[in-house]
Amino acid sequence: MSTDRALIIGDVEFTNRLFTGTGKFANNADIAPMLEASGSQMITVALRRIDMAAGAENILEFIPENVTLLPNTSGARKAEEAVRIARVAREAGCGDFIKIEVITDAKYLMPDNFETLRATEMLAKEGFIVLPYILPDLTMVRRFENAGAAAIMPLGSPIGSNRGLETKALLAMLIENSRLPVIVDAGIGAPSQAAEAMEMGADAVLVNTAIATATDPVIMGEAFDMAVRAGRMAFLAETAGISNIARASSPLTGFLEEV
Amino acid sequence: MQIHINGKAEESVAETIAELISERKLATKSLVVEHNRTIVKQARWAEVQLHDGDKIELLSFVGGG
């Protein structure tokens, strides 16, 4: 049996390193069984103006109490808007965690690291546990550390694209050098890609689209859990090095020879 | 009286936030209300008076990643 320390973010211990999201489920009733099957202990939600005709949807009704809520600031285009959303989420009883998402690029949904940093500074001062969604840039990570972020959430590839770890080389720099936990967020489309991030030494991954839009989100949640745990175990066990030429697995001496 | 609800000018006779919410027949569970940029907790909806030109945001939590 392997033993692993818990991942601590803010004041909360996570023994499961798969974080999930509530977006895009065809049936929100799948969220609770997905959380059960995956063991995920933190899940994202978003805040929106209600549709006056349809009334208020309440995603919180579908999330068990023991799961930590991670409200995001999606829709924010400037730091001040992210701060406003964060305050509303906290006032509404969502706790102190906040995932900062500040995006102006509509095509690739690339985060604005500059505005995200400003929002991080402001919200950390207000006592939030701030998890900024960022482009993986090591120089910016130093600034996020100084700004009081609790973890960083660099993207693997564009949100919802399922393209996997296209930023792999940059992620490796962050994992090697960040003083904050690294949670690879966005673009992870298959359990193998989640395992890849964890093998590299990521502290956790956040997966929404790949689980929510699977034909069976509950089984996919379980598959991601297994992949994240396998990748984490492989990281802790330290994977063997790579070689360009063959290295025999069987002894090269003592062959039986033809008489 | 004209108030702005979620960015749209609307006519209302409601004198308080609580009256506005019942006037619009909105489900109150998990509804988040901002009144002129200040969040008003549900317990205070009946106390907060509305005035002409007030800005009301009615928000709720939805699925998101």
Side-chain angles (χ1 to χ4, degrees):
Chain A
M1 273 299 285
S2 64
T3 54
D4 192 4
R5 63 186 169 82
L7 172 60
I8 299 168
I9 303 173
D11 52 1
V12 180
E13 282 193 9
F14 298 92
T15 53
N16 181 297
R17 290 166 181 268
L18 170 64
F19 299 155
T20 50
T22 54
K24 299 194 252 186
F25 278 83
N27 183 359
N28 285 337
D30 283 341
I31 292 172
M34 180 282 292
L35 287 166
E36 176 77 27
S38 69
S40 178
Q41 295 166 340
M42 181 141 78
I43 193 161
T44 57
V45 294
L47 190 69
R48 285 293 179 276
R49 283 174 166 172
I50 66 164
D51 176 344
M52 295 297 283
E57 175 196 351
N58 183 9
I59 199 75
L60 304 183
E61 280 176 17
F62 298 96
I63 303 171
E65 296 243 317
N66 58 347
V67 176
T68 299
L69 294 172
L70 179 58
N72 69 34
T73 67
S74 61
R77 300 168 66 86
K78 294 196 332 192
E80 286 74 15
E81 291 167 7
V83 168
R84 182 180 174 199
I85 294 166
R87 288 173 181 158
V88 171
R90 181 154 74 176
E91 277 293 316
C94 273
D96 291 332
F97 278 84
I98 190 76
K99 171 182 165 182
I100 303 185
E101 237 181 284
V102 184
I103 291 172
T104 53
D105 165 49
K107 188 172 183 185
Y108 293 106
L109 301 177
M110 287 292 110
D112 181 332
N113 276 1
F114 178 75
E115 290 294 316
T116 302
L117 178 66
R118 288 181 56 226
T120 298
E121 270 169 1
M122 291 188 258
L123 290 170
K125 278 184 193 145
E126 293 183 22
F128 283 90
I129 301 164
V130 183
L131 284 67
Y133 171 60
I134 63 168
L135 269 168
D137 173 340
L138 185 53
T139 305
M140 285 301 287
V141 167
R142 292 286 173 256
R143 294 181 189 269
F144 280 104
E145 289 168 355
N146 294 333
I152 50 168
M153 305 185 89
L155 63 94
S157 51
I159 293 173
S161 69
N162 292 341
R163 277 158 38 183
L165 307 184
E166 293 186 332
T167 59
K168 187 168 185 180
L170 296 169
L171 291 172
M173 284 183 217
L174 265 55
I175 289 166
E176 184 191 343
N177 292 291
S178 172
R179 287 188 276 269
L180 300 172
V182 177
I183 302 158
V184 178
D185 184 6
I188 293 177
S192 55
Q193 295 162 357
E196 186 182 7
M198 297 306 294
E199 283 171 19
M200 289 168 65
D203 293 284
V205 297
L206 195 150
V207 180
N208 183 359
T209 300
I211 292 174
T213 64
T215 302
D216 190 326
V218 179
I219 293 176
M220 190 59 82
E222 185 175 357
F224 266 100
D225 172 48
M226 294 170 82
V228 167
R229 283 190 285 124
R232 177 68 183 171
M233 286 168 72
F235 171 72
L236 293 173
E238 297 184 18
T239 46
I242 292 168
S243 168
N244 280 331
I245 60 166
R247 292 179 296 193
S249 309
S250 310
L252 290 173
T253 55
F255 293 115
L256 289 173
E257 287 182 38
E258 282 185 49
V259 189
Chain B
M1 178 177 69
Q2 197 179 65
I3 54 175
H4 296 267
I5 303 174
N6 288 356
K8 268 176 62 181
E10 306 232 10
E11 285 298 323
S12 174
V13 294
E15 290 183 4
T16 64
I17 289 173
E19 285 179 24
L20 178 70
I21 286 162
S22 76
E23 178 187 273
R24 303 293 151 132
K25 300 188 172 57
L26 297 172
T28 57
K29 204 176 165 193
S30 87
L31 187 64
V32 181
V33 179
E34 255 193 351
H35 175 238
N36 296 334
R37 290 274 186 141
T38 303
I39 299 146
V40 182
K41 294 211 164 152
Q42 194 154 351
R44 295 196 55 244
W45 287 355
E47 300 165 26
V48 176
Q49 301 282 318
L50 295 178
H51 303 283
D52 196 50
D54 277 2
K55 291 184 169 60
I56 299 286
E57 290 284 339
L58 301 173
L59 310 163
S60 71
F61 287 96
V62 299

